[in-house]
Amino acid sequence: MKVVNARLRRRTGLYSITLQDERIQSITAQPQLCVAQEGNLDAAGGLVIPPLVEPHIHLDAVLTAGEPEWNMSGTLFEGIERWGQRKATITHEDTKRRALTAIGLLRDHGIQHVRTHVDVTDPSLAALQAMLEVREEARNLVDLQIVAFPQEGIESFPDGRALMARAVEMGADVVGGIPHFENTREQGVSSIKFLMELAQRSGCLVDVHCDETDDPQSRFLEVLAEEARVRDMGTRVTASHTVAMGSYDNAYCSKLFRLLKRSGINFVSCPTESIHLQGRFDTWPKRRGVTRVAELDHAGMNVCFGQDSIKDPWYPLGNGNILRVLEAGLHICHMMGYEDLQRSLDFVTDNSARTLSLGDNYGLEPGRPANLVILDAEDDYEVVRRQAKARASVRLGRVIMQRHPERLEYPQ
Ligand code: 17E
Ligand code: FE2
């Protein structure tokens, strides 16, 4: 199969992309628009990109907002409490059904690579077992990485360490953490040492909910980065949220950035989630409660955007559209300069793929998997401005989603 009349990022002109045996065979320049042959896909001058990536979502909690009660304060802490109520009633089937529904939404928005956190502070590990099955059953739609995420703490939850180890044995891909939620600062530090050790021993990646609080004293990021540096694991480690960095003073941040850079770790910001959950203990002026995305990026570090939630106890909106989160993130992080807009898709494609350590399994290059998405606009700027829809999603050479343009009518 061929995709014709494609525009590509960072290149001018039109291209044809030939797919063969689940791989990209070649990418060739076209002198002009051509007529698509039967069986080929016509990008019609739209941008063709490798699939969008969702680097941070909680598929075990999606579509549960209000069950049994709504989060009225809008804080992370009430979210955890409300989730605790819902967690008591989750079942294997309920978790699978909601996760698969959400994966359908992600598919419709051109996403094919997903990292989901799954709460393992549950002695039954029912949600994890369900998600392991979802990972297999949804293989034709997405590559799913599962994070063993200790929502109620590793040190502060009964048998927390054993549950983490068990989750890895069962098949989790990534080790998680939540040091700012542990009972004491010491427990936060020891939880990071424990989880890094577990990851190193098992060969898992690492993705820690790190400093998701406006407390400027929450400084677990430096602990995570140093652990990654001394173990030489930086490229395999991700710090998610790090919103306390939005409250650190510049003197500390300037020292911190030196370590972060040397550690080589990755960052995920969930700007819609954080603008909603953070700043809740401020009156006015209110902090933005988002990490220093532009500054990390300008310092040469790897940052990407994630959705975090779809209608869950922490965040009542969300629909699977990562371009909505990109648009919000560009606003919230003061990233709407011309240069930023011109490369804005980096934050939901290449940077995210690097966070997920996708390596040669990602990217529009001959020899790589035949995974791509056709967007309904011609470049990054127009994609984000017009909130372009994914017109088609191709996975291993097969079309898994095709969207036909909506039709407007103007009766007199
Ligand atoms: N759990 C957590 O600790 N933080 C979040 N933002 C979500 C779940 C969605
Ligand atoms: Fe999260």
Side-chain angles (χ1 to χ4, degrees):
M1 182 177 61
K2 266 190 195 188
V3 180
V4 299
N5 301 322
R7 283 186 209 284
L8 299 175
R9 298 186 67 215
R10 308 182 200 95
R11 297 205 222 175
T12 55
L14 293 168
Y15 294 84
S16 301
I17 304 165
T18 306
L19 312 178
Q20 178 77 40
D21 300 331
E22 304 191 350
R23 300 264 148 191
I24 296 169
Q25 187 178 57
S26 59
I27 301 176
T28 51
Q30 277 176 222
Q32 66 216 6
L33 270 174
C34 68
V35 178
Q37 309 267 302
E38 180 77 25
N40 288 345
L41 276 176
D42 187 358
L47 192 65
V48 175
I49 60 169
L52 292 157
V53 179
E54 175 47 68
H56 189 124
I57 193 163
H58 296 253
L59 289 179
D60 58 338
V62 291
L63 307 171
T64 62
E67 300 173 4
E69 284 180 82
W70 292 89
N71 179 343
M72 297 305 287
S73 66
T75 60
L76 169 69
F77 304 100
E78 186 177 344
I80 296 174
E81 205 179 312
R82 297 283 157 258
W83 168 241
Q85 292 172 299
R86 183 60 172 82
K87 185 159 68 169
T89 67
I90 60 159
T91 66
H92 185 84
E93 280 314 310
D94 149 57
T95 302
K96 280 182 73 171
R97 186 174 36 75
R98 288 183 292 96
L100 287 166
T101 302
I103 287 170
L105 297 175
L106 301 177
R107 169 205 52 209
D108 295 349
H109 288 97
I111 291 168
Q112 290 185 30
H113 302 278
V114 180
R115 175 178 284 179
T116 182
H117 296 258
V118 177
D119 185 359
V120 298
T121 49
D122 165 11
S124 79
L125 294 176
L128 175 64
Q129 187 54 52
M131 205 62 70
L132 291 165
E133 292 180 22
V134 167
R135 187 174 66 187
E136 294 313 309
E137 288 170 27
R139 240 179 219 298
N140 55 340
L141 303 181
V142 292
D143 295 323
L144 188 59
Q145 289 183 358
I146 297 177
V147 186
F149 172 54
Q151 178 69 74
E152 296 183 54
I154 294 175
E155 310 290 44
S156 318
F157 190 77
D159 290 325
R161 288 189 177 212
L163 287 167
M164 289 294 289
R166 178 91 191 96
V168 167
E169 273 168 32
M170 284 169 68
D173 308 282
V174 188
V175 173
I178 186 162
H180 54 276
F181 192 72
E182 303 284 357
N183 290 332
T184 65
R185 194 191 63 83
E186 285 74 13
Q187 287 179 342
V189 172
S190 66
S191 74
I192 292 176
K193 297 207 160 139
F194 167 80
L195 71 90
M196 288 298 290
E197 187 66 38
L198 177 59
Q200 192 166 29
R201 204 163 4 100
S202 59
C204 283
L205 300 167
V206 174
D207 192 329
V208 173
H209 280 65
C210 198
D211 303 316
E212 192 183 9
T213 163
D214 294 319
D215 174 7
Q217 304 302 324
S218 188
R219 293 184 172 188
F220 296 105
L221 178 55
E222 64 180 26
V223 180
L224 180 66
E226 178 63 0
E227 283 290 319
R229 188 189 67 79
V230 298
R231 293 169 196 268
D232 197 20
M233 284 173 63
T235 58
R236 303 175 61 77
V237 172
T238 298
S240 282
H241 301 305
T242 63
V243 300
M245 203 199 290
S247 293
Y248 294 161
D249 68 48
N250 287 339
Y252 173 63
C253 243
S254 122
K255 177 206 169 208
L256 177 65
F257 266 45
R258 224 177 112 249
L259 168 62
L260 296 179
K261 184 106 201 236
R262 283 167 70 198
S263 75
I265 67 169
N266 305 287
F267 297 86
V268 179
S269 169
C270 303
T272 49
E273 184 94 8
S274 298
I275 204 77
H276 166 65
L277 289 178
Q278 304 308 137
R280 291 286 175 167
F281 301 97
D282 293 357
T283 54
W284 296 96
K286 285 192 198 199
R287 285 169 284 183
R288 286 171 130 85
V290 176
T291 197
R292 301 191 184 200
V293 174
E295 292 77 6
L296 288 165
D297 176 64
H298 292 163
M301 288 182 268
N302 187 47
V303 203
C304 57
F305 285 134
Q307 311 191 42
D308 214 5
S309 297
I310 299 175
K311 200 184 178 199
D312 71 14
W314 293 273
Y315 182 86
L317 303 182
N319 54 21
N321 183 7
I322 190 82
L323 293 180
R324 165 185 168 273
V325 171
L326 174 61
E327 193 203 33
L330 296 174
H331 282 85
I332 296 164
C333 302
H334 282 166
M335 290 167 62
M336 294 209 281
Y338 181 73
E339 298 292 327
D340 294 318
L341 294 171
Q342 283 298 323
R343 57 170 284 255
S344 57
L345 289 175
D346 284 350
F347 294 90
V348 288
T349 58
D350 294 353
N351 293 9
S352 327
R354 192 167 144 198
T355 295
L356 267 54
S357 286
L358 297 183
D360 290 347
N361 283 319
Y362 188 86
L364 290 189
E365 280 187 42
R368 299 200 182 180
N371 301 336
L372 57 83
V373 168
I374 302 174
L375 294 169
D376 205 7
E378 60 273 19
D379 59 24
D380 287 28
Y381 189 165
E382 288 303 308
V383 166
V384 69
R385 185 181 73 80
R386 296 186 345 225
Q387 288 287 289
K389 296 259 168 67
R391 290 192 29 219
S393 184
V394 175
R395 183 162 170 85
L396 297 175
R398 276 184 47 240
V399 178
I400 59 167
M401 186 280 295
Q402 211 164 354
R403 173 179 277 110
H404 297 284
E406 63 179 348
R407 207 181 80 198
L408 303 185
E409 286 177 21
Y410 305 98
Q412 284 314 306

